[in-house]
Amino acid sequence: MAANGTSCEQPQKRTAAKDKQNGRPTDASVRERRQKDKEERLSLVLWRRPVITLHYFLSETFIKLKEWTFKLWQRRVIVFLLLVLCSIFSFAYYSEGTHQKYVQYLEKKFLWCAYWVGLGILSSVGLGTGLHTFLLYLGPHIASVTLAAYECGSTDFPEPPYPDQIVCPQDEMEGNISLFTIMSKVRLEAFMWGAGTAIGELPPYFMARAARQSGADPDDEDYEEFEEMLEQAEGAQDFVTRAKLGVQHMVQKVGFFGILACASIPNPLFDLAGITCGHFLVPFWTFFGATLIGKAIIKMHIQKLFVIITFSKHIVEQMVSLIGSVPKVGPALQKPFSQYLEAQRNKLHHAGGSAPADENWLSWVFEKVVLVMVCYFVISIVNSMAQSYAKRLQQQRHSEEKTK
C-alpha cells in the first residue's frame, strides 16, 4: 500500500517539477496569484485611491461605450427599424388632431411603466451594490396609497394630480375599502417593478451560458466562485456554501418549478440560480418565464400584501399607541409620528397648493436616507467599474507574461 501511494505521488511531483522547469505556473501559484489580484482590485475604491479610481472608471466607461456601439452596429437593421418607429411616434406626438388624447394617455402609461421597470432593474441588475428600490420607492408608494385609501374611503383618486400627488376625491365614501381594492390600485406599478427585477437577473444567466458554450474564461468573479463551489461541493461545511449548493441542486434537478420557487421568495442567492441555469444551458424561456412569474406575480403579491396590512389604518394606530407606551421616551417618540400622520391626512384633503407646508422631521430624515443610499449606489458603481478595468489590465499583463 505504501509503495502504491509513493508511486502515485511521484508522477504528481514530477509533473509539478516539470511545470516549474518549463516556467508554467502550478495550481497553487495560480490560486495565489488570483487571490493577490483580487485583493489589489478590492483596494481600488474612491475613499482610498480617488484619482486612480476615477481614471480607471472613465477608461472602463469609454471601453463599454465602444463595445455597445459595436454591438449596435452589428444590429443596425433592428436599430434602423426602431428609429423609424420612433419617428412615426414623434410625428403623431407633435401633430395636432383628435388622436392627441390617446397619445397623451399612452405617453403617461408608458413613462409610468418605464419608471417602475427601471427601478426594478436597478434593484437586481448587479451594478455596484444594487439599489434597494422597493424599500425606497415602491414600498412607500404602496404605503401612501394604503393610508390614503383608508382616509378617503376610496381609491378613485383624481388624475391628475395622481400619481404625482394623492388627493381625496370630492365625493368621499366610507367603509368601502378592502385589501383587494388597494392591491388592484397598485397592481400595475408592482408588476412592472417585479418585471424589472426579473430582467435584471438576465446578465448572470447570459454570462454563464456564453462561457459554457465557448469554453472561455469568463470575466466574472461570481462565475469563478460558482465553478470553485462545484469542484469543492463534497467538502462544503459552512452554512452559506451549503445554502448555495441547495439552490444549485434545486434549480438543476427540479427545473422550471425550482427556478419558480427560488424567484417567489426574497432570496439573496438568486444570482446563483441564474448562473446555474446558464451553466447547465437551461432554455432561456424556461429561466425567464419562471423568474418573471415568480418575481412579478407571486413575490410581488406577497410583498404588496405585507405592506398593505402593515400600513392599514388600525395597525398604524396600534403601532403609534405602542410607541407611546414605551417608558420615558415613548411620548417624545409618539409626538412626531402623530404629527406626520396628521400632516399626511391634511394633504389628502387639500388639492393643489393649499395644503399646509410644515415639514415633519421624519420626512426630512427619510429624504436624507434616500439621498445617502443613492449616493452610495453611485459610488459603488464607480468602484465596480474601476475594478473591472483593473482586472482588464491584470489579464493583459498575465497574457503578455505567458507569451514571453
Side-chain angles (χ1 to χ4, degrees):
M1 293 292 290
N4 289 337
T6 305
S7 63
C8 291
E9 291 172 2
Q10 286 178 351
Q12 296 176 356
K13 291 180 180 179
R14 284 198 298 268
T15 303
K18 191 174 180 181
D19 288 342
K20 192 173 182 180
Q21 290 175 357
N22 294 334
R24 289 196 296 264
T26 61
D27 291 342
S29 64
V30 169
R31 283 195 295 269
E32 184 179 349
R33 187 200 70 197
R34 285 183 176 177
Q35 183 63 28
K36 185 178 179 181
D37 289 345
K38 185 176 180 180
E39 291 174 357
E40 182 182 344
R41 291 196 303 272
L42 292 177
S43 67
L44 198 65
V45 290
L46 277 172
W47 50 88
R48 289 182 183 174
R49 303 162 69 184
V51 177
I52 297 177
T53 302
L54 287 173
H55 172 65
Y56 281 12
F57 164 72
L58 294 174
S59 300
E60 181 70 11
T61 302
F62 181 70
I63 292 172
K64 288 293 184 184
L65 288 174
K66 287 201 302 184
E67 290 177 353
W68 292 341
T69 304
F70 180 71
K71 289 179 180 179
L72 289 175
W73 176 251
Q74 287 181 320
R75 296 165 176 81
R76 52 188 176 274
V77 176
I78 298 175
V79 173
F80 176 75
L81 292 175
L82 288 174
L83 289 175
V84 170
L85 194 62
C86 290
S87 300
I88 294 171
F89 280 124
S90 298
F91 177 77
Y93 184 80
Y94 289 107
S95 61
E96 298 293 335
T98 56
H99 66 283
Q100 277 298 320
K101 61 180 181 180
Y102 302 107
V103 171
Q104 291 174 3
Y105 175 80
L106 290 175
E107 178 193 18
K108 181 181 177 182
K109 287 296 181 184
F110 174 78
L111 293 176
W112 183 242
C113 293
Y115 172 75
W116 290 111
V117 170
L119 288 177
I121 292 173
L122 287 177
S123 182
S124 64
V125 74
L127 290 171
T129 58
L131 186 65
H132 303 290
T133 53
F134 181 85
L135 294 176
L136 297 179
Y137 297 99
L138 183 59
H141 172 70
I142 297 173
S144 298
V145 171
T146 303
L147 292 172
Y150 282 107
E151 177 64 23
C152 302
S154 172
T155 57
D156 296 327
F157 310 125
E159 300 184 31
Y162 183 83
D164 298 323
Q165 181 185 356
I166 302 177
V167 177
C168 289
Q170 296 297 324
D171 51 341
E172 299 181 13
M173 298 180 295
E174 295 292 339
N176 295 323
I177 297 302
S178 66
L179 287 176
F180 298 105
T181 305
I182 302 172
M183 288 175 71
S184 63
K185 185 66 177 179
V186 296
R187 183 179 294 124
L188 178 63
E189 44 266 52
F191 177 83
M192 289 300 163
W193 185 88
T197 62
I199 294 170
E201 300 293 351
L202 292 179
Y205 169 83
F206 284 124
M207 176 272 304
R209 186 181 180 89
R212 179 66 184 273
Q213 289 176 333
S214 64
D217 185 22
D219 185 18
D220 188 88
E221 294 181 5
D222 290 337
Y223 188 76
E224 292 175 0
E225 292 178 3
F226 172 75
E227 288 190 323
E228 290 177 4
M229 185 188 70
L230 292 181
E231 292 173 0
Q232 303 170 359
E234 295 181 0
Q237 298 294 331
D238 60 294
F239 173 77
V240 175
T241 305
R242 289 201 303 270
K244 290 181 177 180
L245 286 171
V247 171
Q248 183 254 323
H249 288 316
M250 178 183 291
V251 170
Q252 185 183 356
K253 293 181 179 179
V254 185
F256 179 89
F257 292 102
I259 303 167
L260 183 65
C262 291
S264 299
I265 57 174
N267 186 359
L269 302 177
F270 191 79
D271 277 352
L272 187 64
I275 293 174
T276 302
C277 291
H279 180 78
F280 292 105
L281 304 180
V282 173
F284 169 77
W285 286 110
T286 300
F287 169 72
F288 185 66
T291 304
L292 183 64
I293 294 171
K295 285 184 171 291
I297 299 177
I298 300 175
K299 181 181 173 184
M300 275 317 306
H301 274 82
I302 295 172
Q303 290 177 300
K304 275 195 302 182
L305 196 62
F306 175 77
V307 174
I308 292 170
I309 291 174
T310 302
F311 286 88
S312 59
K313 187 175 182 179
H314 62 285
I315 296 292
V316 170
E317 290 173 352
Q318 287 178 4
M319 285 193 296
V320 174
S321 177
L322 285 173
I323 291 172
S325 64
V326 176
K328 296 183 180 179
V329 296
L333 291 175
Q334 187 185 37
K335 184 178 179 181
F337 279 98
S338 300
Q339 289 176 345
Y340 177 77
L341 291 173
E342 186 63 30
Q344 296 306 308
R345 292 191 186 100
N346 291 334
K347 285 182 181 180
L348 294 173
H349 296 284
H350 291 78
S354 58
D358 295 337
E359 283 293 331
N360 186 272
W361 69 268
L362 285 176
S363 59
W364 183 87
V365 168
F366 181 75
E367 289 175 1
K368 297 304 177 282
V369 168
V370 172
L371 181 63
V372 168
M373 292 188 72
V374 171
C375 291
Y376 181 69
F377 174 65
V378 172
I379 291 171
S380 68
I381 291 176
V382 174
N383 292 337
S384 178
M385 292 187 69
Q387 291 166 10
S388 297
Y389 185 75
K391 188 170 185 177
R392 289 179 189 270
L393 296 180
Q394 290 171 350
Q395 291 174 337
Q396 183 180 355
R397 184 174 69 245
H398 296 323
S399 62
E400 289 174 354
E401 290 173 356
K402 288 180 182 178
T403 55
K404 289 181 181 179

